[in-house]
Amino acid sequence: MQTILEPRTMQAWADATRARGERIALVPTMGALHEGHVALIAEARRRAKRVVVSIFVNPIQFDRRGDFERYPRTLEDDAARCAAAGVDVIFAPSPRAMYPEGFQTAVEVAALTVPLCGKTRPGHFRGVTTVVTKLFHAVRPHLAVFGEKDWQQLAVVRRMAADLDFGIEIVGVSTVREADGLALSSRNRRLSAEDREAARCVPRALDAAAEMAATGETRPAMIVGRAKMEIAACPRARLEYAEVRDPETLEEVDEVTAPVLLGVAVWVGEVRLIDNRLLAPAEAERESARLAQGGAARAPDGPPKTREAERESARAGRRGPGASEARSAAEPREHWTGPRDR
């Protein structure tokens, strides 16, 4: 494994690797790696001959200077974890290398960046799409792997890659969770012992909302209200948002008649945690149970085959008859890769 610090050196490596006919997968990170990142690396390794992990704490995506300064930086430990996972290259540029003097260009996606995190973090997604664009140009990957915990980010990057004709496959990987359901995050290490215990209210809120949808509740306000109750019951937690959205467009929904996304952002102490859950209405849950009895393998967030069936049902319902069959003929079905382009 080698570490590359400069974009031009990274481009030279990528050009030579492509010339040998080898596929490159990029896993963009800000470091402080955990088992969730290892799952992303494993998926990248499954899909490509060479894996590059970028480690860069991107200053232009932070809306609070203090948050940027406190973000954990553990490059030595990250390098050891990458080596153990079979990574070929760590790309760890400095801020000066990424944003040299005089830098004044930004890349921005419109509608998808407005709701959820976009409402409370001005400029955040502009910073994300700008840095991801620069990473794509430096690493020149065939595919890039992102976690579904950052669902909105995944949707935004997928939209950008399609709109700007990058020719890069964007792959999403299911959220990896602790035994108590808390989503793995680099920010978790900043939680005190008391706050770590309090953070369990986040997965409890998602579970409670999912149960309501699965047992027949179709009103988004009622489902969100149930999630808010769980957060409000924890005095150390402060809700930033809890919203039900279309999982692809991130538009508001009036009724839960197909799988929808519940996204939440919660402050626990001084740490901001985000998470989400795909909520399946009662009919979809019954179909899920039927498929699960047929032997579908389970994953941390539910049975992959079942989740794909639920999402495909939702897409078919929105796009009209024949959409499911058309996609089946055109794409492999073994792995859901997050929100898709229309």
Side-chain angles (χ1 to χ4, degrees), residues 4-5 7 26-33 37 53-62 68 71-75 78 90-100 103 127-128 130-135 139 153 186:
I4 294 177
L5 305 178
L26 168 65
V27 180
T29 83
M30 292 204 299
L33 304 185
H37 294 108
V53 171
S54 63
I55 298 177
F56 178 63
V57 182
N58 179 33
I60 67 171
Q61 73 183 65
F62 286 83
F68 169 71
Y71 198 88
R73 292 159 171 84
T74 57
L75 185 57
D78 293 343
I90 292 176
F91 179 44
S94 67
R96 183 176 293 275
M98 291 294 278
Y99 306 117
F103 185 88
V128 168
T130 299
V131 76
V132 169
T133 296
K134 289 183 68 68
L135 291 173
V139 179
Q153 174 180 272
S186 300

Side-chain angles (χ1 to χ4, degrees), residues 30-47:
M30 292 204 299
L33 304 185
H34 49 67
E35 287 303 310
H37 294 108
V38 173
L40 303 184
I41 293 169
E43 184 63 23
R45 174 61 66 198
R46 189 178 76 83
R47 291 169 174 261

Side-chain angles (χ1 to χ4, degrees), residues 218-235:
T218 62
R219 293 167 294 178
M222 297 299 292
I223 294 171
V224 168
R226 183 69 183 87
K228 288 181 176 180
M229 285 177 58
E230 288 292 336
I231 303 300
C234 179

Side-chain angles (χ1 to χ4, degrees), residues 40 57 62 78 94-95 101 125 127 138 143 164 206 217 221 246 264 297 326:
L40 303 184
V57 182
F62 286 83
D78 293 343
S94 67
E101 185 177 354
F125 285 113
L143 63 104
L164 300 184
L206 296 176
E217 180 58 68
D246 180 282
V264 300

Side-chain angles (χ1 to χ4, degrees), residues 167-215:
I168 297 171
E169 180 186 3
I170 308 300
V171 177
V173 174
S174 298
T175 303
V176 178
R177 300 182 178 277
E178 302 276 9
D180 60 4
L182 184 67
L184 291 182
S185 170
S186 300
R187 297 175 186 271
N188 290 357
R189 65 181 66 196
R190 290 176 48 202
L191 294 167
S192 67
E194 295 82 1
D195 287 342
R196 173 60 184 82
E197 177 67 20
R200 297 174 63 186
C201 70
V202 178
R204 283 201 304 267
L206 296 176
D207 289 343
E211 183 177 358
M212 283 194 76
T215 54

